[in-house]
Amino acid sequence: MIQKKRKQRNEVVEVIDPLQALIASLYGSNEQGGLYVPKPVVDGTQALFQDAAGTTAVTADGEPVGLMLDQSPNSVDASQSTAAAKPAYKVTPDRLLLDKVDDSLTITVPTGGWTGTMVLATDQGTASYGVSIPAGAYGLGGKYFPGTAIVGALFRDGAMTAGEKAEAESYFVDNGATASYGAVSGFSRFWQGRTEITEFPVIDVTGTNTLSNAFLGCSSITSFPVIDTSGIGTFSYTWFDCSSITSFPLLDYSSGSLFSNTWRNCTSLTSFPANSFDNISGGNFSSAFQNTALDETSIDGILVSLVASGVSAGFLNFKQSGGSAPSVGTGQPAIDTLRGRGWTVVVTGLY
């Protein structure tokens, strides 16, 4: 919507509605996708309804939401027919409150699916993700959602530029979404099972000391960004079942002591950086690299790094299976050193 108002000397200034500007930017060339703004009325048109058929308008705080209209030109509305699974509309800011059990709205993704970008704006943080969503029913919300309320959501078939992502995130933050995840005190299962995500952004996790189960089952990501993990002590099951990851970045594990099952079932993981564990705080690596595909250089580097850490007290356990066995010249001597310090070490090849 473009509104015109007159200033002194009859000057005409064009004021562009930010939502309409965003729509034009992202969908102006017939791009597919959907854009969802959880307000009862958007640009003068009723956008939230209590029923999936769209007959009873949402007008007040606390009312159930059974239909949220798509604000993009594509008319891919989000609906919920089951009364117990309807999120509740809340004010200040306008949002859909989730019970984190089964509250969600269903989007029927059209033939061909959406491969591109998803922006999720919540009460706990806002982020843009690479996604590949097949045609059919897609749940917005649900048990494993990175927030307790939906403040906005956007899908675009075709990757968005960094500028477009920033514009979309800014729009939702201006509408009340929290910009950063930095204040979240725990990320347990935040993104669990999000198989549609192919690319993660850099997320601020400095407000917590645990990433237990955070990315479990994100089976479509092939890599992971460098994030600040210097304050994280617990990494149990963090990347468990991320079966498409092929390599991993060098992260700061200096506070880490619990790594049980962290990379277990990362069946495509071949490359892992040397020196990763030089400064760890504890040695629980039970099943940490079970059922992976580590090459010889990587498993050797991991074992040498554990030796460099000097950890020799507490629960000391390391397990790897799949991939290459440690080398005779580097990996096996490192195992001997660890066992001499009280570690239980099980590796491919059963040295």
Side-chain angles (χ1 to χ4, degrees), residues 262-276:
T262 303
W263 295 275
R264 183 175 180 176
N265 290 354
C266 291
T267 52
S268 299
L269 180 61
T270 59
S271 178
F272 202 87
N275 306 112
S276 289

Side-chain angles (χ1 to χ4, degrees), residues 184-187 205-212 229 231-235 255-256:
V184 175
S185 60
F187 288 94
V205 298
T206 56
T208 185
N209 64 0
T210 176
L211 285 178
S212 176
T229 54
I232 306 298
T234 300
F235 291 92
S255 296

Side-chain angles (χ1 to χ4, degrees), residues 53-94:
T55 58
T56 304
V58 170
T59 60
D61 182 85
E63 291 182 340
V65 176
L67 179 66
M68 178 165 56
L69 298 187
D70 177 13
Q71 298 302 315
S72 83
N74 298 307
S75 299
V76 187
D77 301 332
S79 63
Q80 179 56 261
S81 299
T82 303
K86 292 180 180 179
Y89 167 68
K90 301 296 291 182
V91 299
T92 318
D94 297 281

Side-chain angles (χ1 to χ4, degrees), residues 49-296:
F49 297 87
Q50 298 185 41
D51 59 317
T55 58
T56 304
V58 170
T59 60
D61 182 85
E63 291 182 340
V65 176
L67 179 66
M68 178 165 56
L69 298 187
D70 177 13
Q71 298 302 315
S72 83
N74 298 307
S75 299
V76 187
D77 301 332
S79 63
Q80 179 56 261
S81 299
T82 303
K86 292 180 180 179
Y89 167 68
K90 301 296 291 182
V91 299
T92 318
D94 297 281
R95 64 198 189 279
L96 302 186
L97 184 65
L98 305 170
D99 64 4
K100 298 305 288 284
V101 177
D102 58 1
D103 283 1
S104 67
L105 298 176
T106 298
I107 299 168
T108 302
V109 178
T111 301
W114 294 334
T115 299
T117 303
M118 170 178 72
V119 182
L120 294 181
T122 82
D123 57 328
Q124 293 182 284
T126 299
S128 299
Y129 309 84
V131 293
S132 181
I133 305 175
Y138 176 83
L140 178 60
K143 186 175 183 178
Y144 304 127
F145 184 80
T148 58
I150 302 168
V151 187
L154 183 157
F155 303 84
R156 215 274 297 272
D157 186 36
M160 290 164 55
T161 66
E164 289 171 334
K165 293 174 184 177
E167 180 185 10
E169 292 179 17
S170 178
Y171 171 77
F172 289 131
V173 170
D174 287 346
N175 278 308
T178 299
S180 169
Y181 280 99
V184 175
S185 60
F187 288 94
S188 179
R189 305 183 189 278
F190 254 51
W191 295 275
Q192 179 172 330
R194 302 305 297 254
T195 58
E196 80 276 20
I197 296 178
T198 58
E199 181 182 1
F200 267 96
V202 175
I203 293 171
D204 186 349
V205 298
T206 56
T208 185
N209 64 0
T210 176
L211 285 178
S212 176
N213 301 283
F215 309 103
L216 185 153
C218 291
S219 59
S220 297
I221 59 173
T222 58
S223 61
F224 198 80
V226 175
I227 61 176
D228 183 356
T229 54
S230 59
I232 306 298
T234 300
F235 291 92
S236 295
Y237 292 90
T238 301
W239 294 280
F240 180 95
D241 268 344
C242 290
S243 56
S244 295
I245 285 183
T246 59
S247 61
F248 216 78
L250 182 63
L251 300 182
D252 185 338
Y253 302 107
S254 56
S255 296
S257 60
L258 187 54
F259 296 90
S260 62
N261 297 281
T262 303
W263 295 275
R264 183 175 180 176
N265 290 354
C266 291
T267 52
S268 299
L269 180 61
T270 59
S271 178
F272 202 87
N275 306 112
S276 289
F277 305 121
D278 288 5
N279 300 302
I280 56 172
S281 298
N284 187 345
F285 283 77
S286 300
S287 299
F289 291 96
Q290 185 172 335
N291 199 25
T292 58
L294 294 172
D295 59 30
E296 184 182 90

Side-chain angles (χ1 to χ4, degrees), residues 4-33:
K4 295 183 179 181
K5 62 181 181 181
R6 294 187 179 276
K7 297 176 67 178
Q8 292 181 350
R9 300 179 182 176
N10 293 322
E11 294 176 352
V12 177
V13 178
E14 292 186 339
V15 180
I16 302 177
D17 178 273
L19 176 58
Q20 295 305 315
L22 183 63
I23 293 170
S25 172
L26 298 180
Y27 306 102
S29 297
N30 299 315
E31 292 90 346
Q32 296 301 301

